[in-house]
Amino acid sequence: MTLRLAATEYGAGPALAILHGLFGAGRNWATIAQRLAAHRRVVALDLRNHGASPWAEAMDYAEMADDVRATMQALGHRRYALLGHSMGGKAAMVLALAHREEVERLVVVDIAPAAYPPHHLAYVQAMRGLDLAGVTRRAEAEAQLAAAVPNPAKRAFLVQNLVFDEGRARWRLNLDAIERAMPTLIGGFAISAAFSGARPRGLLGIIEAIVHSWFGAAIALAIAFGLACFAGWLAVTGFRRSNRSAIGKRWLLGVGMLGDAVLYAGFVIVVLGIAWRGGGGNETALHGWVAWLFANTGGRALVGLVGAGVLGGGIGVLIWGWTRDVEQPLALSPRGKRLTTPISRFGVTGRGAALVLIGLYLLWAAFAADPSKAHGLGGALQQLHATALGWIVLLLFAASFIASAFFDLLEAFYRRVD
């Protein structure tokens, strides 16, 4: 749901919206806003769950961008410049990518379009752990935070969010929502996300979350190597089948395997890029690519075609999973197949359903001409998680991903490759 944000305006002239960072507020920029007001109509905003703005359960960059856009339009600003700091910088990037016709120029401070370690979670937990019952001054809260937040400047910055209503202290920040918005993982980790409300991620988001450590980079390289081997096998097998068969089912299967080889080769390039740069595979990157395509002739049609292809592929996987013997290429005993086929079929179903979701979101983005509507697996799961029974759906996907991994292991050990 889009929110009307609290805003303080200064000066006159072309509009400039200022978006603060995590744990901040528009008032942090008051001095700079007053100086810029000599040439601009400066609008210092409080982002959702911060300052005087309304609270909301959901909190991601697309929603924050929508809030800023709706608020600026409500204030009569149809075209404006954006200045975003840290978290506000990422929200500004998403808004500029999705609605570039409205954004005159973009200034991003102290942030890059990449994944970062979730080190701010410790600050959230420290603030939530404070006993505010006897706190009457901010200095007392600072003293309680000293052990968890040794930096005095950081402590002073955090406690500026402490306000007193009729002598009782409370946080102006929606700490629960902010904590839920911190990055988490999917797959087996999607189970914990379903119960905790934390944010699910796609495969590339998982790799981004772990790649900042040495073992995470090693895992990313191992994944890239495995995907490269699989892409090579698909390419060789697909070429042999398409080259030796007349046009028919086996020929189409061979062409399909060649297409899969290209897809997995693309995954290899993306994973290697994440391992090298530490980011680049998240929703912001996807929105950026889609926005770039929309800005070029035929871009919307191309995104729509890709969406239709992904949707068709997902439907095909679902049909294959429920009408064919998915374990036919596996060298398993009849008894082994009876035991494992239901699990494999369930895993294939989850895989197909995920493709259907991604395809539908790509089609929606193309139809609405809105890059923010496009989602990868992590973003699609986030959208489902925000619904009334989202945690149940997330649990089903988590179970199906585990089943899909089990099926992949069976293929790795028992598939006939002749």
Side-chain angles (χ1 to χ4, degrees), residues 327 332-342 406 410:
E327 294 188 351
L332 289 172
S333 66
R335 183 173 180 274
K337 283 192 175 184
R338 284 196 301 273
L339 293 174
T340 59
T341 294
F406 173 77
L410 288 179

Side-chain angles (χ1 to χ4, degrees), residues 23 122-130 145 158 161 171 173 175:
F23 307 130
Y123 298 144
V124 175
Q125 293 170 343
M127 285 186 283
R128 290 185 62 184
L130 249 63
L145 281 174
L158 294 176
N161 291 291
W171 294 109
L173 300 167
L175 294 174

